[in-house]
Amino acid sequence: MRAQIPPKGDAARARRDPEKYFISIFGEPTMKGTWGWRLEGHHLALNFTVKDGSLFRSTPCFFGSNPGEIRQGPRTGIRPLSAEEDLGRALAKSLNDDQWKKALIQETAFKDILTEAKRQVSPLTPDGLSDADLTADQKAQLQTLLKEHLFRIRPEVADAAWQEILAGGPIHFAWAGSREPNQGHYYRIQGKSFVVEYDNTQNNANHVHTAWRDFDSDFGLDLLSEHLKTAHQPVK
């Protein structure tokens, strides 16, 4: 069962309507077995996979904001994704010269996040600065930044993902573009099983995209993999 898709001729306009959101359900909602659901609108995509009555995965997860900062009218000054920007910049500016040389992967920020809206994401090169090269205070800053992206969903769900990330080995922090406000910038946080991306370059660096992706488990793909291995073995 899926939500109705807007007519093709108006699809692009409808997807950008700030008051239109769509809910899709995949499979049969039940306390046994696996199913999923999605909430999606322009600049928002939340995906959840449920297994045997418990939430199994909550990726891919996308938040965006255009404008990133409202600069006129009665809501002037509102910045919906301000913490994601400010915490990232604070960490970037805390780096010494040697750390910055490792963290900076490109002088100009990318035009958008690199993972794109694809069903399955391939791991990007874990470029940038390893958390092994950070001070204790900087490691705490990196963890605070990463939690800002993860804990936008229910804490008990995010905490399960957080524990997996902590157990997954080194985490890399990469930056592209300027460290100054109102100039194009991008950062990426990547570990063994996940990547978080932030990009603010469009509309004169006032248009934010963020994404949290899991290399193995987006849309519950690891469950699908298990099913294919056990139920669809080739006949010998």
PDB file of all heavy atoms in Angstrom, residues 67 103 128 170 191:
ATOM      1  N   PRO A  67      15.011  28.749   3.005  1.00  0.00           N
ATOM      2  CA  PRO A  67      16.398  29.138   3.282  1.00  0.00           C
ATOM      3  C   PRO A  67      16.937  28.478   4.546  1.00  0.00           C
ATOM      4  O   PRO A  67      16.171  28.041   5.405  1.00  0.00           O
ATOM      5  CB  PRO A  67      16.293  30.650   3.467  1.00  0.00           C
ATOM      6  CG  PRO A  67      14.925  30.850   4.046  1.00  0.00           C
ATOM      7  CD  PRO A  67      14.054  29.821   3.362  1.00  0.00           C
ATOM      8  N   ALA A 103      41.997  17.497   7.381  1.00  0.00           N
ATOM      9  CA  ALA A 103      40.525  17.567   7.340  1.00  0.00           C
ATOM     10  C   ALA A 103      40.018  18.183   6.046  1.00  0.00           C
ATOM     11  O   ALA A 103      38.965  17.768   5.528  1.00  0.00           O
ATOM     12  CB  ALA A 103      40.016  18.388   8.523  1.00  0.00           C
ATOM     13  N   GLY A 128      39.690  12.809   5.108  1.00  0.00           N
ATOM     14  CA  GLY A 128      39.700  13.775   6.189  1.00  0.00           C
ATOM     15  C   GLY A 128      40.525  13.322   7.378  1.00  0.00           C
ATOM     16  O   GLY A 128      41.465  12.529   7.269  1.00  0.00           O
ATOM     17  N   PRO A 170      37.307   3.696  13.885  1.00  0.00           N
ATOM     18  CA  PRO A 170      37.614   5.117  13.657  1.00  0.00           C
ATOM     19  C   PRO A 170      36.489   5.861  12.941  1.00  0.00           C
ATOM     20  O   PRO A 170      35.779   5.298  12.109  1.00  0.00           O
ATOM     21  CB  PRO A 170      38.875   5.076  12.780  1.00  0.00           C
ATOM     22  CG  PRO A 170      39.476   3.739  13.036  1.00  0.00           C
ATOM     23  CD  PRO A 170      38.326   2.813  13.285  1.00  0.00           C
ATOM     24  N   GLY A 191      32.095   6.609   9.331  1.00  0.00           N
ATOM     25  CA  GLY A 191      32.674   5.480  10.030  1.00  0.00           C
ATOM     26  C   GLY A 191      32.548   4.234   9.184  1.00  0.00           C
ATOM     27  O   GLY A 191      32.224   4.291   7.996  1.00  0.00           O
TER      28      GLY A 191
END
